[in-house]
Amino acid sequence: MPGNKVVLIGAGSVVFTRELIADFIADGREWELRLVDINKENLEVAYGLADRMVKMKSAPIELKMSTERSEMLPAADVVITVLDVGGRRAWEADIQIPRKYGIYMPVADTTTPGGFARSLRIIPTMIAIAQDIKRYCPNALFLNYCNPMAAIVRAINREEQIPVYGLCHGVPNAAKYFAHFLEVDVNDCEWLAV
């Protein structure tokens, strides 16, 4: 079990941050959560929400925030990435430009021209984060929620040779969808994800 110092990079993503903070609160143990985002305004909103959540539950969680990951990474036990490069406008372009040429995709996260464009935008940033992890907290557990998840993990493993684990909420969500479609209880379903 890793220690209790967790760095959340991309914490300005309020949806992911809210859900992860709720998980840490539900865990009930003492945590030091260090929130990082390059967008100061988004970070302050996410921090304010996290602070309210922690206080509402009287959770034993200490919160810190910074726009500089180099301030938050030293001695971290866990690093979680939930960032995107380019934001919503870039994501919309990933879908709209291929659509103009007859290539339709629902989200353009991982494959197709949109996924390729997203890879080109985010992989350099993720490599830089991996380099900082090697420098400041080489023994930290590195968890990546960013898309395209498999391409990012492969690039970090190839370029920096540090362990990184890709996580995706798509499998359980797909299981719920298929269970609903089949009119069965999702708890009666089994699946294997690799």
Side-chain angles (χ1 to χ4, degrees):
M1 185 72 187
N4 73 334
K5 294 176 182 66
V6 179
V7 178
L8 183 58
I9 299 176
S13 166
V14 175
V15 173
F16 271 107
T17 300
R18 182 190 71 225
E19 292 178 10
L20 288 169
I21 297 294
D23 289 341
F24 283 109
I25 290 169
D27 177 72
R29 288 183 287 155
E30 291 185 15
W31 293 100
E32 180 183 298
L33 301 181
R34 304 170 181 178
L35 309 182
V36 178
D37 201 288
I38 61 171
N39 185 314
K40 186 178 181 186
E41 292 160 2
N42 289 357
L43 178 61
E44 288 172 349
V45 169
Y47 181 88
L49 174 62
D51 187 52
R52 285 193 304 277
M53 292 171 68
V54 166
K55 286 178 179 170
M56 185 185 308
K57 295 293 185 176
S58 299
I61 295 175
E62 177 185 355
L63 294 171
K64 297 180 177 183
M65 72 171 177
S66 177
T67 57
E68 298 295 329
R69 65 179 178 257
S70 60
E71 293 176 8
M72 297 287 121
L73 285 173
D77 299 304
V78 180
V79 178
I80 303 171
T81 50
V82 293
L83 61 114
D84 189 15
V85 174
R88 184 162 180 88
R89 292 212 187 273
W91 174 74
E92 288 171 352
D94 292 345
I95 292 174
Q96 298 299 329
I97 292 170
R99 185 176 292 166
K100 181 177 169 183
Y101 297 98
I103 302 170
Y104 296 89
M105 55 213 147
V107 291
D109 273 345
T110 303
T111 60
T112 68
F116 181 71
R118 196 170 195 177
S119 293
L120 292 175
R121 281 194 312 273
I122 198 167
I123 286 175
T125 298
M126 294 300 293
I127 295 295
I129 290 169
Q131 290 167 345
D132 283 349
I133 290 170
K134 279 174 76 170
R135 181 179 306 117
Y136 296 112
C137 52
N139 297 317
L141 175 63
F142 185 5
L143 304 173
N144 171 55
Y145 271 107
C146 306
N147 281 318
M149 187 264 296
I152 290 169
V153 169
R154 187 170 38 249
I156 290 170
N157 283 327
R158 185 186 67 229
E159 297 300 317
E160 296 304 322
Q161 297 85 40
I162 65 170
V164 56
Y165 302 92
L167 303 174
C168 180
H169 61 273
V171 173
N173 287 347
K176 290 176 190 173
Y177 170 80
F178 286 120
H180 177 74
F181 178 76
L182 296 170
E183 298 178 350
V184 298
D185 187 327
V186 70
N187 296 318
D188 294 335
C189 299
E190 293 182 22
W191 65 88
L192 174 66
V194 179

